[in-house]
Amino acid sequence: MTLVLGFNDYLAPAQQLAHRLSIPFKQVDSHQFPDGETKVTLPSDLPKQVIICQTLNQPDHKLIELILVAQTAREQGVEQITLVAPYLCYMRQDIAFHTGEAVSQKIVGKLLSDYFDAVLTIDPHLHRIKHLSEAIPTGQALALFATPAMTDFIKKNVENPVIIGPDEESMQWVKAIAKTDQWHYSIANKQRFGDKDVAVTLDDINLTNRNIIIVDDIASTGRTLEQTVKQLLPQEPKSISIMVTHAFFVDDAIKRLHALGVTNIWSSDSVLHSTNTFSVIDILAQAVESLSTT
Ligand code: R5P
């Protein structure tokens, strides 16, 4: 028997995962003391196999929570612990850009591999490595794509869109989406000078009166999207929509994008946000099923 364990701050998707896998769900009780420390209490009678479903935005507190849960589960006799983390933190710092910087991807990856037998996630930001197992050296480390869910959503909601990627990295997602119905696409060129300082240049393509969808994995400050929208506006498209897997949209990012005239902002439930419109839980559930049959 397998059980899904979830937390109060990512409850509905974890329950949905259990439902989709037709296995029971139980919640971990997590209490934060006034000084910021965490106490977790696991349900009793855990089976031999447990799937922990927690997304890792705002990760520092959640990582401690996860380790406490995983270690306690082991001590209670759980043999196989799988982590389903729709958003996987600390993947962007994959080298030391300056002397003395910690390579967070490797350190956090190793930490997770110490506690989990398998780790599954969606669109982790793997820039200089090809496979998630290079960051998380555990038995099975799977990086899945949100693009099937994105494509389904677009097909149902937008007629003949043009898909725009804001930078070279987005090409993989943009191409995967565009090929479904031979939609037009274009990839912009991005230069980042600082957290909130980004320049984007677009190829010369005619977008007048077209429905444009900008696709990216993460929206953090929203500056990448904002600069892309600014480049698109002079072409007078019919609409500009934004679609991302992981929606952070920190500070006033959403307000700024709407102020520019963005029609729709769509995101997946990998991170809970008011823009969530499509789900990646089915994709994760299918991958969990394939793990158990291999
Ligand atoms: C970076 O290459 C990612 O794919 C995103 O484009 C980036 O994380 C977005 O960051 P921001 O919203 O802060 O521009």
Side-chain angles (χ1 to χ4, degrees), residues 92 125 166-167 169-170 173 190 192 195-196 198 216-225 249-250:
R92 281 174 280 185
H125 197 87
D167 54 26
E169 282 171 343
S170 63
W173 309 300
K190 177 172 89 177
R192 185 179 283 283
D195 285 350
K196 294 186 176 176
V198 173
D216 207 356
D217 58 343
I218 301 172
S220 178
T221 64
R223 300 299 164 130
T224 299
L225 296 166
F249 293 110
V250 301

PDB file of all heavy atoms in Angstrom, residues 92 125 166-167 169-170 173 190 192 195-196 198 216-225 249-250, ligand 1:
ATOM      1  N   ARG A  92      18.585  27.155  -9.800  1.00  0.00           N
ATOM      2  CA  ARG A  92      19.172  28.162 -10.695  1.00  0.00           C
ATOM      3  C   ARG A  92      20.638  28.444 -10.414  1.00  0.00           C
ATOM      4  O   ARG A  92      21.400  28.734 -11.308  1.00  0.00           O
ATOM      5  CB  ARG A  92      18.349  29.461 -10.628  1.00  0.00           C
ATOM      6  CG  ARG A  92      17.088  29.358 -11.474  1.00  0.00           C
ATOM      7  CD  ARG A  92      16.191  30.549 -11.323  1.00  0.00           C
ATOM      8  NE  ARG A  92      15.396  30.486 -10.105  1.00  0.00           N
ATOM      9  CZ  ARG A  92      14.452  31.357  -9.787  1.00  0.00           C
ATOM     10  NH1 ARG A  92      14.197  32.374 -10.577  1.00  0.00           N
ATOM     11  NH2 ARG A  92      13.759  31.226  -8.682  1.00  0.00           N
ATOM     12  N   HIS A 125      14.708  24.440 -13.232  1.00  0.00           N
ATOM     13  CA  HIS A 125      15.517  25.325 -14.059  1.00  0.00           C
ATOM     14  C   HIS A 125      16.913  24.727 -14.227  1.00  0.00           C
ATOM     15  O   HIS A 125      17.848  25.106 -13.523  1.00  0.00           O
ATOM     16  CB  HIS A 125      15.569  26.706 -13.428  1.00  0.00           C
ATOM     17  CG  HIS A 125      16.011  27.736 -14.401  1.00  0.00           C
ATOM     18  ND1 HIS A 125      15.141  28.389 -15.233  1.00  0.00           N
ATOM     19  CD2 HIS A 125      17.232  28.181 -14.717  1.00  0.00           C
ATOM     20  CE1 HIS A 125      15.818  29.204 -16.005  1.00  0.00           C
ATOM     21  NE2 HIS A 125      17.095  29.103 -15.710  1.00  0.00           N
ATOM     22  N   PRO A 166      10.750  34.167 -24.418  1.00  0.00           N
ATOM     23  CA  PRO A 166      11.517  35.379 -24.121  1.00  0.00           C
ATOM     24  C   PRO A 166      13.030  35.210 -24.159  1.00  0.00           C
ATOM     25  O   PRO A 166      13.760  36.195 -24.174  1.00  0.00           O
ATOM     26  CB  PRO A 166      11.064  35.754 -22.706  1.00  0.00           C
ATOM     27  CG  PRO A 166      10.605  34.473 -22.106  1.00  0.00           C
ATOM     28  CD  PRO A 166      10.114  33.604 -23.221  1.00  0.00           C
ATOM     29  N   ASP A 167      13.489  33.965 -24.150  1.00  0.00           N
ATOM     30  CA  ASP A 167      14.949  33.748 -24.183  1.00  0.00           C
ATOM     31  C   ASP A 167      15.247  32.366 -24.745  1.00  0.00           C
ATOM     32  O   ASP A 167      14.335  31.549 -24.951  1.00  0.00           O
ATOM     33  CB  ASP A 167      15.571  33.925 -22.792  1.00  0.00           C
ATOM     34  CG  ASP A 167      14.913  33.052 -21.741  1.00  0.00           C
ATOM     35  OD1 ASP A 167      14.357  32.005 -22.106  1.00  0.00           O
ATOM     36  OD2 ASP A 167      14.948  33.430 -20.555  1.00  0.00           O
ATOM     37  N   GLU A 169      16.472  29.719 -23.518  1.00  0.00           N
ATOM     38  CA  GLU A 169      16.073  28.552 -22.725  1.00  0.00           C
ATOM     39  C   GLU A 169      14.624  28.156 -22.959  1.00  0.00           C
ATOM     40  O   GLU A 169      14.244  26.999 -22.821  1.00  0.00           O
ATOM     41  CB  GLU A 169      16.246  28.853 -21.242  1.00  0.00           C
ATOM     42  CG  GLU A 169      17.674  28.766 -20.811  1.00  0.00           C
ATOM     43  CD  GLU A 169      17.866  29.276 -19.411  1.00  0.00           C
ATOM     44  OE1 GLU A 169      16.982  29.989 -18.887  1.00  0.00           O
ATOM     45  OE2 GLU A 169      18.897  28.964 -18.832  1.00  0.00           O
ATOM     46  N   SER A 170      13.810  29.157 -23.303  1.00  0.00           N
ATOM     47  CA  SER A 170      12.376  28.866 -23.467  1.00  0.00           C
ATOM     48  C   SER A 170      12.088  28.138 -24.775  1.00  0.00           C
ATOM     49  O   SER A 170      10.972  27.669 -24.984  1.00  0.00           O
ATOM     50  CB  SER A 170      11.565  30.159 -23.396  1.00  0.00           C
ATOM     51  OG  SER A 170      11.943  31.010 -24.465  1.00  0.00           O
ATOM     52  N   TRP A 173      10.325  24.673 -24.602  1.00  0.00           N
ATOM     53  CA  TRP A 173       8.893  24.636 -24.296  1.00  0.00           C
ATOM     54  C   TRP A 173       8.087  25.198 -25.465  1.00  0.00           C
ATOM     55  O   TRP A 173       7.048  24.665 -25.832  1.00  0.00           O
ATOM     56  CB  TRP A 173       8.600  25.441 -23.016  1.00  0.00           C
ATOM     57  CG  TRP A 173       9.493  25.028 -21.882  1.00  0.00           C
ATOM     58  CD1 TRP A 173       9.571  23.775 -21.326  1.00  0.00           C
ATOM     59  CD2 TRP A 173      10.472  25.826 -21.210  1.00  0.00           C
ATOM     60  NE1 TRP A 173      10.526  23.765 -20.351  1.00  0.00           N
ATOM     61  CE2 TRP A 173      11.090  24.998 -20.244  1.00  0.00           C
ATOM     62  CE3 TRP A 173      10.876  27.152 -21.302  1.00  0.00           C
ATOM     63  CZ2 TRP A 173      12.094  25.457 -19.394  1.00  0.00           C
ATOM     64  CZ3 TRP A 173      11.872  27.608 -20.468  1.00  0.00           C
ATOM     65  CH2 TRP A 173      12.479  26.775 -19.519  1.00  0.00           C
ATOM     66  N   LYS A 190      17.488  37.481 -24.744  1.00  0.00           N
ATOM     67  CA  LYS A 190      17.431  38.197 -23.456  1.00  0.00           C
ATOM     68  C   LYS A 190      18.825  38.395 -22.876  1.00  0.00           C
ATOM     69  O   LYS A 190      19.670  37.504 -22.947  1.00  0.00           O
ATOM     70  CB  LYS A 190      16.586  37.400 -22.460  1.00  0.00           C
ATOM     71  CG  LYS A 190      16.524  38.035 -21.072  1.00  0.00           C
ATOM     72  CD  LYS A 190      15.520  37.335 -20.178  1.00  0.00           C
ATOM     73  CE  LYS A 190      16.135  36.189 -19.429  1.00  0.00           C
ATOM     74  NZ  LYS A 190      15.191  35.550 -18.496  1.00  0.00           N
ATOM     75  N   ARG A 192      20.380  39.622 -19.116  1.00  0.00           N
ATOM     76  CA  ARG A 192      20.034  40.040 -17.750  1.00  0.00           C
ATOM     77  C   ARG A 192      21.228  40.757 -17.145  1.00  0.00           C
ATOM     78  O   ARG A 192      22.336  40.237 -17.125  1.00  0.00           O
ATOM     79  CB  ARG A 192      19.642  38.825 -16.904  1.00  0.00           C
ATOM     80  CG  ARG A 192      19.166  39.205 -15.502  1.00  0.00           C
ATOM     81  CD  ARG A 192      18.752  37.987 -14.699  1.00  0.00           C
ATOM     82  NE  ARG A 192      17.443  37.462 -15.057  1.00  0.00           N
ATOM     83  CZ  ARG A 192      16.286  37.999 -14.674  1.00  0.00           C
ATOM     84  NH1 ARG A 192      16.276  39.091 -13.938  1.00  0.00           N
ATOM     85  NH2 ARG A 192      15.155  37.444 -15.030  1.00  0.00           N
ATOM     86  N   ASP A 195      18.827  41.591 -10.997  1.00  0.00           N
ATOM     87  CA  ASP A 195      17.550  40.939 -10.656  1.00  0.00           C
ATOM     88  C   ASP A 195      16.381  41.566 -11.402  1.00  0.00           C
ATOM     89  O   ASP A 195      15.483  40.881 -11.871  1.00  0.00           O
ATOM     90  CB  ASP A 195      17.289  41.050  -9.139  1.00  0.00           C
ATOM     91  CG  ASP A 195      18.164  40.084  -8.351  1.00  0.00           C
ATOM     92  OD1 ASP A 195      18.814  39.230  -8.988  1.00  0.00           O
ATOM     93  OD2 ASP A 195      18.215  40.201  -7.112  1.00  0.00           O
ATOM     94  N   LYS A 196      16.391  42.920 -11.472  1.00  0.00           N
ATOM     95  CA  LYS A 196      15.237  43.591 -12.079  1.00  0.00           C
ATOM     96  C   LYS A 196      15.617  44.337 -13.344  1.00  0.00           C
ATOM     97  O   LYS A 196      14.896  45.234 -13.788  1.00  0.00           O
ATOM     98  CB  LYS A 196      14.621  44.567 -11.061  1.00  0.00           C
ATOM     99  CG  LYS A 196      14.024  43.861  -9.859  1.00  0.00           C
ATOM    100  CD  LYS A 196      13.295  44.824  -8.961  1.00  0.00           C
ATOM    101  CE  LYS A 196      12.633  44.065  -7.821  1.00  0.00           C
ATOM    102  NZ  LYS A 196      11.976  44.955  -6.867  1.00  0.00           N
ATOM    103  N   VAL A 198      16.564  43.762 -17.170  1.00  0.00           N
ATOM    104  CA  VAL A 198      16.565  42.774 -18.250  1.00  0.00           C
ATOM    105  C   VAL A 198      16.329  43.498 -19.569  1.00  0.00           C
ATOM    106  O   VAL A 198      15.548  44.451 -19.629  1.00  0.00           O
ATOM    107  CB  VAL A 198      15.394  41.779 -18.017  1.00  0.00           C
ATOM    108  CG1 VAL A 198      15.230  40.835 -19.198  1.00  0.00           C
ATOM    109  CG2 VAL A 198      15.600  40.972 -16.748  1.00  0.00           C
ATOM    110  N   ASP A 216       6.976  30.892 -20.630  1.00  0.00           N
ATOM    111  CA  ASP A 216       8.236  30.773 -19.897  1.00  0.00           C
ATOM    112  C   ASP A 216       8.053  29.791 -18.735  1.00  0.00           C
ATOM    113  O   ASP A 216       6.923  29.451 -18.371  1.00  0.00           O
ATOM    114  CB  ASP A 216       8.691  32.150 -19.382  1.00  0.00           C
ATOM    115  CG  ASP A 216      10.214  32.232 -19.218  1.00  0.00           C
ATOM    116  OD1 ASP A 216      10.905  31.216 -19.418  1.00  0.00           O
ATOM    117  OD2 ASP A 216      10.707  33.328 -18.882  1.00  0.00           O
ATOM    118  N   ASP A 217       9.163  29.356 -18.141  1.00  0.00           N
ATOM    119  CA  ASP A 217       9.035  28.422 -17.016  1.00  0.00           C
ATOM    120  C   ASP A 217       8.689  29.162 -15.720  1.00  0.00           C
ATOM    121  O   ASP A 217       7.804  28.748 -14.984  1.00  0.00           O
ATOM    122  CB  ASP A 217      10.310  27.563 -16.846  1.00  0.00           C
ATOM    123  CG  ASP A 217      11.574  28.382 -16.626  1.00  0.00           C
ATOM    124  OD1 ASP A 217      11.574  29.593 -16.915  1.00  0.00           O
ATOM    125  OD2 ASP A 217      12.586  27.797 -16.169  1.00  0.00           O
ATOM    126  N   ILE A 218       9.403  30.256 -15.464  1.00  0.00           N
ATOM    127  CA  ILE A 218       9.238  30.951 -14.181  1.00  0.00           C
ATOM    128  C   ILE A 218       8.937  32.421 -14.423  1.00  0.00           C
ATOM    129  O   ILE A 218       9.573  33.053 -15.275  1.00  0.00           O
ATOM    130  CB  ILE A 218      10.546  30.869 -13.349  1.00  0.00           C
ATOM    131  CG1 ILE A 218      10.926  29.408 -13.090  1.00  0.00           C
ATOM    132  CG2 ILE A 218      10.415  31.617 -12.025  1.00  0.00           C
ATOM    133  CD1 ILE A 218      12.296  29.227 -12.445  1.00  0.00           C
ATOM    134  N   ALA A 219       7.993  32.967 -13.679  1.00  0.00           N
ATOM    135  CA  ALA A 219       7.857  34.420 -13.627  1.00  0.00           C
ATOM    136  C   ALA A 219       8.187  34.826 -12.198  1.00  0.00           C
ATOM    137  O   ALA A 219       7.454  34.489 -11.263  1.00  0.00           O
ATOM    138  CB  ALA A 219       6.446  34.856 -13.981  1.00  0.00           C
ATOM    139  N   SER A 220       9.305  35.505 -12.030  1.00  0.00           N
ATOM    140  CA  SER A 220       9.715  35.902 -10.684  1.00  0.00           C
ATOM    141  C   SER A 220       9.412  37.390 -10.488  1.00  0.00           C
ATOM    142  O   SER A 220       8.352  37.761 -10.009  1.00  0.00           O
ATOM    143  CB  SER A 220      11.195  35.574 -10.499  1.00  0.00           C
ATOM    144  OG  SER A 220      11.627  35.975  -9.234  1.00  0.00           O
ATOM    145  N   THR A 221      10.314  38.264 -10.910  1.00  0.00           N
ATOM    146  CA  THR A 221       9.999  39.702 -10.839  1.00  0.00           C
ATOM    147  C   THR A 221       9.031  40.100 -11.958  1.00  0.00           C
ATOM    148  O   THR A 221       8.445  41.178 -11.909  1.00  0.00           O
ATOM    149  CB  THR A 221      11.270  40.554 -11.022  1.00  0.00           C
ATOM    150  OG1 THR A 221      11.781  40.330 -12.346  1.00  0.00           O
ATOM    151  CG2 THR A 221      12.334  40.198  -9.999  1.00  0.00           C
ATOM    152  N   GLY A 222       8.934  39.256 -12.979  1.00  0.00           N
ATOM    153  CA  GLY A 222       8.082  39.577 -14.132  1.00  0.00           C
ATOM    154  C   GLY A 222       8.774  40.481 -15.137  1.00  0.00           C
ATOM    155  O   GLY A 222       8.188  40.836 -16.165  1.00  0.00           O
ATOM    156  N   ARG A 223      10.028  40.862 -14.873  1.00  0.00           N
ATOM    157  CA  ARG A 223      10.720  41.826 -15.766  1.00  0.00           C
ATOM    158  C   ARG A 223      10.983  41.217 -17.142  1.00  0.00           C
ATOM    159  O   ARG A 223      10.944  41.919 -18.149  1.00  0.00           O
ATOM    160  CB  ARG A 223      12.041  42.300 -15.164  1.00  0.00           C
ATOM    161  CG  ARG A 223      11.888  43.005 -13.833  1.00  0.00           C
ATOM    162  CD  ARG A 223      11.037  44.252 -13.955  1.00  0.00           C
ATOM    163  NE  ARG A 223      10.616  44.665 -12.632  1.00  0.00           N
ATOM    164  CZ  ARG A 223      10.732  45.887 -12.144  1.00  0.00           C
ATOM    165  NH1 ARG A 223      11.221  46.852 -12.874  1.00  0.00           N
ATOM    166  NH2 ARG A 223      10.313  46.153 -10.928  1.00  0.00           N
ATOM    167  N   THR A 224      11.304  39.920 -17.190  1.00  0.00           N
ATOM    168  CA  THR A 224      11.521  39.262 -18.487  1.00  0.00           C
ATOM    169  C   THR A 224      10.263  39.384 -19.338  1.00  0.00           C
ATOM    170  O   THR A 224      10.313  39.760 -20.525  1.00  0.00           O
ATOM    171  CB  THR A 224      11.854  37.760 -18.256  1.00  0.00           C
ATOM    172  OG1 THR A 224      13.058  37.675 -17.489  1.00  0.00           O
ATOM    173  CG2 THR A 224      12.011  37.011 -19.559  1.00  0.00           C
ATOM    174  N   LEU A 225       9.119  39.089 -18.721  1.00  0.00           N
ATOM    175  CA  LEU A 225       7.854  39.148 -19.459  1.00  0.00           C
ATOM    176  C   LEU A 225       7.520  40.593 -19.829  1.00  0.00           C
ATOM    177  O   LEU A 225       7.077  40.884 -20.946  1.00  0.00           O
ATOM    178  CB  LEU A 225       6.738  38.546 -18.599  1.00  0.00           C
ATOM    179  CG  LEU A 225       6.912  37.050 -18.288  1.00  0.00           C
ATOM    180  CD1 LEU A 225       5.985  36.596 -17.184  1.00  0.00           C
ATOM    181  CD2 LEU A 225       6.677  36.223 -19.551  1.00  0.00           C
ATOM    182  N   PHE A 249       5.585  35.937  -9.531  1.00  0.00           N
ATOM    183  CA  PHE A 249       5.082  37.300  -9.752  1.00  0.00           C
ATOM    184  C   PHE A 249       5.222  38.141  -8.474  1.00  0.00           C
ATOM    185  O   PHE A 249       4.235  38.538  -7.863  1.00  0.00           O
ATOM    186  CB  PHE A 249       3.618  37.276 -10.201  1.00  0.00           C
ATOM    187  CG  PHE A 249       3.413  36.680 -11.565  1.00  0.00           C
ATOM    188  CD1 PHE A 249       2.796  35.442 -11.717  1.00  0.00           C
ATOM    189  CD2 PHE A 249       3.819  37.360 -12.708  1.00  0.00           C
ATOM    190  CE1 PHE A 249       2.608  34.891 -12.976  1.00  0.00           C
ATOM    191  CE2 PHE A 249       3.628  36.813 -13.986  1.00  0.00           C
ATOM    192  CZ  PHE A 249       3.017  35.573 -14.114  1.00  0.00           C
ATOM    193  N   VAL A 250       6.464  38.340  -8.059  1.00  0.00           N
ATOM    194  CA  VAL A 250       6.698  39.040  -6.790  1.00  0.00           C
ATOM    195  C   VAL A 250       6.323  40.522  -6.898  1.00  0.00           C
ATOM    196  O   VAL A 250       6.218  41.075  -7.998  1.00  0.00           O
ATOM    197  CB  VAL A 250       8.165  38.900  -6.311  1.00  0.00           C
ATOM    198  CG1 VAL A 250       8.541  37.438  -6.130  1.00  0.00           C
ATOM    199  CG2 VAL A 250       9.135  39.569  -7.271  1.00  0.00           C
TER     200      VAL A 250
HETATM  201  C1  R5P B   1      15.322  32.475 -16.649  1.00  0.00           C
HETATM  202  O1  R5P B   1      16.006  32.230 -17.614  1.00  0.00           O
HETATM  203  C2  R5P B   1      13.907  31.976 -16.524  1.00  0.00           C
HETATM  204  O2  R5P B   1      13.543  31.142 -17.582  1.00  0.00           O
HETATM  205  C3  R5P B   1      12.935  33.114 -16.401  1.00  0.00           C
HETATM  206  O3  R5P B   1      12.919  33.820 -17.621  1.00  0.00           O
HETATM  207  C4  R5P B   1      13.322  34.023 -15.282  1.00  0.00           C
HETATM  208  O4  R5P B   1      13.520  33.296 -14.084  1.00  0.00           O
HETATM  209  C5  R5P B   1      12.252  35.078 -15.063  1.00  0.00           C
HETATM  210  O5  R5P B   1      12.677  35.944 -14.079  1.00  0.00           O
HETATM  211  P1  R5P B   1      12.040  37.381 -13.913  1.00  0.00           P
HETATM  212  O6  R5P B   1      10.550  37.206 -13.866  1.00  0.00           O
HETATM  213  O7  R5P B   1      12.593  37.883 -12.617  1.00  0.00           O
HETATM  214  O8  R5P B   1      12.472  38.207 -15.075  1.00  0.00           O
END
